[in-house]
Amino acid sequence: MTMQGSTDQPEGVRLQKVLAAAGVASRRVVEQYIVEGRIRVNGETVTELGRRIDPETDLVDVDGTAVQLDVSKRYVMLNKPTGVVSSMRDESGRPDLRRFTDEYEERLYNVGRLDAETSGLLVLTNDGELAHVLAHPSFGVTKVYIAKVDGAVTAQTIAKLTKGIELEDGHIAADKARLLDTSRGSSLVELTLHSGRNRIVRRMMAAVGHPVTELVRRQFGPLHLGTLPAGRSRELSKIELGALLTLARRDSGVAEAPGEQQENE
């Protein structure tokens, strides 16, 4: 028989070997997972131990959490400091993301953007497909911001933010909003949004009479900034990566316009 195909073995690779290489568990444990019906390939539960897959095209999840089979992919969380633009090379010569990506062997890119004066959680990766899906405005990944604003924010203002306000580019409402603190003529407000519209948090707060003086993104989808200091980065844990991949695969057909990335704050 003449085998068709390129560099991949047409018959594929045993599922337990692929998952062991991906760091899910030992082959013996993966075999137990298969028998227990805890593994799916392309959405279908696998129970036969001899199952072979193509790691480059097949999608695998364990207990409903997506697994990255390509071990060459890297996923990094950065706490971007203020004064740094979300670009790999800034034409104006401003500080850019290269100072953070140069420490990794892979060529990493940012998922979406934060403006120069906004700090917080930014994902860096060499997984172009995931970056495109998560950054696309239509995907609507939930982000959580904490904004320090001028003035004493009232309960009525919080209600207005969640009910919705009119901006020059249309109606916008926060998924959630809450007042964290008010003191010395300023307030801390937490906003949860899935919008990818340009500088949306700053424009919303200005529209209700409380201009932003400091802004940090604390959460992006299932990822939380935690105690990561400004200017530091770390690789995502397996749990974080699984949650992020699961989110991206859930609606990966949404993205249609390559290269369209908005500033989210």
Side-chain angles (χ1 to χ4, degrees):
M1 176 183 293
T2 301
M3 292 187 177
Q4 303 290 329
S6 56
T7 58
D8 295 326
Q9 294 182 0
E11 71 274 13
V13 185
R14 284 187 179 273
L15 180 57
Q16 54 266 49
K17 180 179 179 180
V18 174
L19 291 182
V24 172
S26 67
R27 292 192 193 187
R28 185 180 299 274
V29 172
V30 171
E31 289 176 353
Q32 182 177 341
Y33 289 171
I34 294 174
V35 172
E36 293 172 351
R38 297 169 60 180
I39 298 176
R40 295 188 305 174
V41 176
N42 301 323
E44 296 184 359
T45 300
V46 173
T47 55
E48 67 272 19
L49 292 177
R51 178 64 182 269
R52 292 175 178 268
I53 67 169
D54 182 345
E56 292 191 7
T57 59
D58 289 328
L59 300 179
V60 178
D61 64 79
V62 179
D63 293 334
T65 298
V67 177
Q68 176 56 271
L69 303 180
D70 186 348
V71 295
S72 71
K73 294 293 189 291
R74 189 182 292 269
Y75 306 85
V76 173
M77 177 190 298
L78 168 68
N79 186 347
K80 187 190 82 66
T82 57
V84 175
V85 296
S86 296
S87 171
M88 291 303 158
R89 184 177 295 276
D90 184 63
E91 295 180 356
S92 302
R94 296 173 295 177
D96 54 39
L97 296 173
R98 283 178 296 171
R99 64 178 62 187
F100 306 108
T101 60
D102 283 350
E103 62 185 274
Y104 296 97
E105 180 180 349
E106 298 83 0
R107 189 175 183 181
L108 305 181
Y109 298 91
N110 47 301
V111 176
R113 299 182 177 94
L114 294 174
D115 74 12
E117 297 313 309
T118 299
S119 64
L121 200 162
L122 197 61
V123 176
L124 306 172
T125 183
N126 60 346
D127 187 338
E129 182 177 353
L130 176 134
H132 170 58
V133 171
L134 293 182
H136 195 278
S138 299
F139 192 69
V141 176
T142 299
K143 305 109 179 167
V144 178
Y145 301 87
I146 295 179
K148 183 178 181 180
V149 303
D150 286 336
V153 174
T154 65
Q156 290 78 9
T157 298
I158 294 295
K160 184 182 294 186
L161 290 167
T162 54
K163 183 177 181 181
I165 55 179
E166 293 298 326
L167 299 177
E168 63 272 16
D169 54 352
H171 186 82
I172 183 69
D175 297 335
K176 298 178 183 178
R178 63 180 179 134
L179 178 62
L180 301 178
D181 185 51
T182 297
S183 63
R184 298 182 180 180
S186 65
S187 302
L188 284 180
V189 177
E190 182 183 85
L191 287 177
T192 302
L193 297 160
H194 64 270
S195 170
R197 284 152 67 176
N198 184 45
R199 297 174 64 85
I200 191 63
V201 173
R202 295 180 186 276
R203 293 194 287 132
M204 288 179 71
M205 295 310 302
V208 296
H210 297 281
V212 171
T213 57
E214 296 179 32
L215 185 61
V216 58
R217 181 161 71 186
R218 296 290 309 173
Q219 183 177 340
F220 181 84
L223 306 180
H224 298 259
L225 197 58
T227 60
L228 186 66
R232 298 292 297 275
S233 65
R234 66 169 177 84
E235 293 194 53
L236 298 187
S237 68
K238 289 191 180 298
I239 293 176
E240 290 172 328
L241 175 56
L244 195 65
L245 290 172
T246 301
L247 174 66
R249 290 180 186 176
R250 187 186 63 194
D251 294 316
S252 60
V254 172
E256 296 176 353
E260 181 180 352
Q261 293 187 352
Q262 300 282 347
E263 291 183 5
N264 298 311
E265 72 290 341

